[in-house]
Amino acid sequence: MVVDTRNVVFFTVFFFVVHYLLIRWREKIRNSTPIHVVTVSEMAAIITFVGSCIYLLLYFGNTLVHHTHFSDDEEAEETKNHAAIGCKFDVLLTHAEKKEATTGEDEEVIQAVVSGKTPSYLLESKLGDCNRAVFIRRVALERITGKSLEGLPLDGFDYESILGQCCEMPVGYVQIPVGIAGPLLLDGMEFSVPMATTEGCLVASTNRGCKAIYVSGGATSVLLKDGMTRAPIVRFATAKRAADLKFFLEEPLNFQNLASVFNRSSRFAKLQKIQCAIAGRNLYIRFTCSTGDAMGMNMVSKGVENVLEYLHANFPDMDVIGISGNYCSDKKPAAVNWIEGRGKSVVCEAIIKEDVVEKVLKTTVASLVELNMLKNLTGSAMAGALGGFNAHASNIVSAVFLATGQDPAQNIESSHCITMMEAVNGGRDLHVSVTMPSIEVGTVGGGTQLASQSACLNLLGVKGANKDWAGSNARQLAKVVAAAVLAGELSLMSAIAAGQLVKSHMKYNRSNKDISAKS
């Protein structure tokens, strides 16, 4: 940066004479000397002050006029220089350029984070600017670890939308490609199913299953149950007292009072049933309730807290150990979910015509029936599977979950599925079904509100809460998930039966890029 010596001189003179005149003015006030009576030195200071003001006004005026007449190249260079000295970050700058363009103020905060004086998690509240907080956290992390995050996108994301509800201490976001399988004909309606995945062949395979279902007349689905669960654990001094509470909770006459207390948590919360299990003097209480279009974990947890507080009146010796005792069971494979269900329980079926099996799926009905029995049923039983009587339900569930903003960890219980295949119509056609007892989805809350995920929900026609029939959007999404799983099961099983699995994955799931020279 080139510094004009004249500017330095005039700025110095300007501030010196202002300081001198202020001192003289204060002395005259103290001595009761008339202000209009001036000495030679005061007159010289006044003249110098006026001259300095004229010069500075002309200088800044010319600079402003000159700036408005820059050529395109000069203007671009000036913009770059202003960013370099930290006036404001341009959203078009790359991450590397932004690191070079840190302002003195940003640099001070970065150093405070690196040194540990400012906790990284406080940046959003401290700065009041989510984008700036993410940038500073990211630069600080790179300096602390000595590792570059180049390649992890920073710009183009609304970080304010995740504050306090989706992700803490963000430093960027991960890009996952979204493919479309369909049209999927389900219950007389067509759906284009968004699938976020990095596995080649998955979308193509599911799409083939959708085609087979479509040309065979479509799939039919039935919602069997709809209830989210939470199971706290409470303890008493004796097993007898734990049993007393169990009998109290299971008494039909007490249910209405308990439901009234539970339902205060939300206008959408409706307690459906209470199921208890005892282990010594410990009691596990599994509450099940409907939750509208929300997945509902927070809703049911709040309702459980209301009931536990109410129960203390009759059972003051009850000790609440935890709001969740794993009898729910959330984000873990559990027989209780496989048997009792959690979230939405759905069965989806279709009859695939013989010619479709042969022409679209490239196999035979008999081969699919035999493979399903030996692989999905017998093979899974030999492995001691828990809810895993299917080919790859979790593949489709995960992809749709990621695309629509569901909790990806709940893929564990949501992928519980038994796939059935039987020959019908004299052995000519194939009846295929998937039964999924614990699909945990919502269309409001969590990641569903993010722009990309919201767009995918909108594509399916289930975005947000249904104002006319609470919960119908989430239930429809669960049916779509089950139908997509049906399509995926049908296609993968056909590929295995026809001996095409390895060939397909070698074609679609392997990169042709030469990465030998890359680290």
Side-chain angles (χ1 to χ4, degrees):
M1 180 185 293
V2 179
V3 179
D4 194 329
T5 306
R6 291 175 300 175
N7 295 340
V8 175
V9 171
F10 273 94
F11 269 109
T12 303
V13 171
F14 175 82
F15 287 110
F16 177 81
V17 296
V18 168
H19 179 68
Y20 173 78
L21 290 173
L22 287 174
I23 292 176
R24 293 296 301 151
W25 183 30
R26 185 175 59 181
E27 289 177 352
K28 287 185 177 183
I29 292 174
R30 287 178 178 177
N31 299 330
S32 299
T33 303
I35 296 178
H36 64 275
V37 177
V38 295
T39 64
V40 175
S41 59
E42 291 172 350
M43 180 63 71
I46 293 172
I47 295 173
T48 304
F49 170 78
V50 173
S52 299
C53 287
I54 294 173
Y55 173 83
L56 294 174
L57 288 173
L58 290 174
Y59 171 76
F60 285 112
N62 286 336
T63 300
L64 179 62
V65 173
H66 178 67
H67 177 73
T68 59
H69 290 84
F70 274 165
S71 66
D72 291 342
D73 291 340
E74 290 172 330
E75 186 173 70
E77 183 64 24
E78 183 69 5
T79 301
K80 183 177 179 181
N81 289 339
H82 274 250
I85 62 175
C87 291
K88 190 174 184 180
F89 285 105
D90 192 309
V91 295
L92 298 179
L93 289 177
T94 65
H95 174 53
E97 289 173 327
K98 284 186 175 183
K99 286 197 294 185
E100 293 297 324
T102 54
T103 65
E105 188 176 352
D106 281 348
E107 185 61 35
E108 183 179 346
V109 180
I110 292 170
Q111 290 295 336
V113 174
V114 172
S115 65
K117 293 180 180 179
T118 298
S120 178
Y121 63 84
L122 288 180
L123 286 174
E124 279 79 5
S125 59
K126 182 181 178 67
L127 301 176
D129 184 337
C130 291
N131 289 343
R132 184 180 172 213
V134 175
F135 169 70
I136 288 175
R137 179 182 295 112
R138 181 178 174 126
V139 174
L141 179 63
E142 289 181 323
R143 294 185 186 179
I144 292 170
T145 63
K147 304 291 177 57
S148 173
L149 288 177
E150 193 68 33
L152 180 68
L154 174 65
D155 297 319
F157 189 86
D158 181 8
Y159 293 102
E160 195 166 334
S161 67
I162 66 173
L163 183 64
Q165 51 191 343
C166 286
C167 179
E168 297 74 43
M169 295 186 287
V171 293
Y173 59 97
V174 173
Q175 295 169 310
I176 303 178
V178 177
I180 296 296
L184 173 62
L185 184 58
L186 173 65
D187 301 325
M189 298 181 290
E190 293 186 11
F191 296 91
S192 296
V193 184
M195 302 175 66
T197 182
T198 56
E199 179 184 352
C201 210
L202 178 60
V203 178
S205 178
T206 307
N207 189 65
R208 182 174 74 147
C210 290
K211 180 180 179 182
I213 292 171
Y214 193 101
V215 296
S216 295
T220 303
S221 65
V222 179
L223 187 90
L224 305 173
K225 297 179 184 178
D226 181 8
M228 180 50 64
T229 66
R230 175 60 86 198
I233 174 176
V234 299
R235 184 170 59 194
F236 290 87
T238 65
K240 182 182 181 304
R241 283 295 288 163
D244 288 341
L245 177 55
K246 179 180 186 296
F247 297 143
F248 177 86
L249 293 171
E250 293 175 346
E251 171 58 52
L253 295 177
N254 295 327
F255 184 81
Q256 288 304 319
N257 287 336
L258 295 173
S260 177
V261 172
F262 184 98
N263 296 346
R264 294 174 189 167
S265 61
S266 168
R267 59 194 178 100
F268 298 109
K270 296 292 182 289
L271 184 63
Q272 297 172 348
K273 69 175 183 177
I274 300 174
Q275 183 179 358
C276 298
I278 280 186
R281 60 194 183 106
N282 304 296
L283 181 65
Y284 297 81
I285 313 169
R286 193 173 193 258
F287 294 82
T288 303
C289 81
S290 59
T291 57
D293 284 304
M295 184 270 287
M297 285 297 300
N298 293 334
M299 194 184 300
V300 68
S301 296
K302 181 60 179 175
V304 168
E305 285 187 338
N306 290 344
V307 172
L308 292 177
E309 184 177 345
Y310 172 81
L311 289 173
H312 264 294
N314 292 321
F315 297 87
D317 53 336
M318 180 181 70
D319 184 15
V320 178
I321 303 301
I323 191 68
S324 174
N326 274 8
Y327 187 47
C328 312
S329 175
D330 187 45
K331 299 180 175 71
K332 291 166 284 293
V336 69
N337 292 336
W338 174 240
I339 297 170
E340 297 291 337
R342 189 172 196 253
K344 277 70 174 168
S345 299
V346 180
V347 59
C348 187
E349 64 182 344
I351 295 178
I352 310 301
K353 303 297 183 181
E354 181 181 30
D355 63 327
V356 175
V357 173
E358 294 176 352
K359 294 178 181 178
V360 177
L361 301 176
K362 311 298 182 184
T363 186
T364 65
V365 171
S367 296
L368 282 173
V369 171
E370 180 182 37
L371 177 63
N372 187 72
M373 180 187 67
L374 294 176
K375 171 183 167 61
N376 289 340
L377 305 183
T378 309
S380 294
M382 294 294 292
L386 178 59
F389 299 93
N390 58 81
H392 71 149
S394 64
N395 238 343
I396 290 84
V397 172
S398 294
V400 178
F401 270 31
L402 289 171
T404 59
Q406 310 306 311
D407 187 338
Q410 290 183 325
N411 163 70
I412 295 173
E413 59 266 39
S414 296
S415 295
H416 281 338
C417 171
I418 183 168
T419 300
M420 304 290 291
M421 293 185 180
E422 303 172 66
V424 294
N425 299 329
R428 295 189 307 275
D429 302 330
L430 176 73
H431 180 277
V432 56
S433 68
V434 293
T435 305
M436 306 179 69
S438 49
I439 302 176
E440 300 168 355
V441 293
T443 57
V444 296
T448 65
Q449 47 142 25
L450 300 179
S452 301
Q453 289 81 347
S454 180
C456 290
L457 288 170
N458 189 56
L459 177 66
L460 291 171
V462 295
K463 176 182 175 181
N466 191 299
K467 297 180 181 179
D468 299 323
W469 190 13
S472 61
N473 281 356
R475 289 191 285 269
Q476 182 62 69
L477 178 58
K479 291 181 178 181
V480 170
V481 170
V485 169
L486 182 71
E489 290 287 281
L490 189 58
S491 184
L492 177 58
M493 291 294 287
S494 298
I496 296 175
Q500 298 174 336
L501 178 64
V502 175
K503 181 179 178 181
S504 297
H505 277 79
M506 292 297 289
K507 180 179 179 180
Y508 292 104
N509 203 27
R510 290 177 66 88
S511 174
N512 294 319
K513 293 181 180 180
D514 180 10
I515 59 173
S516 59
K518 297 181 180 180
S519 59

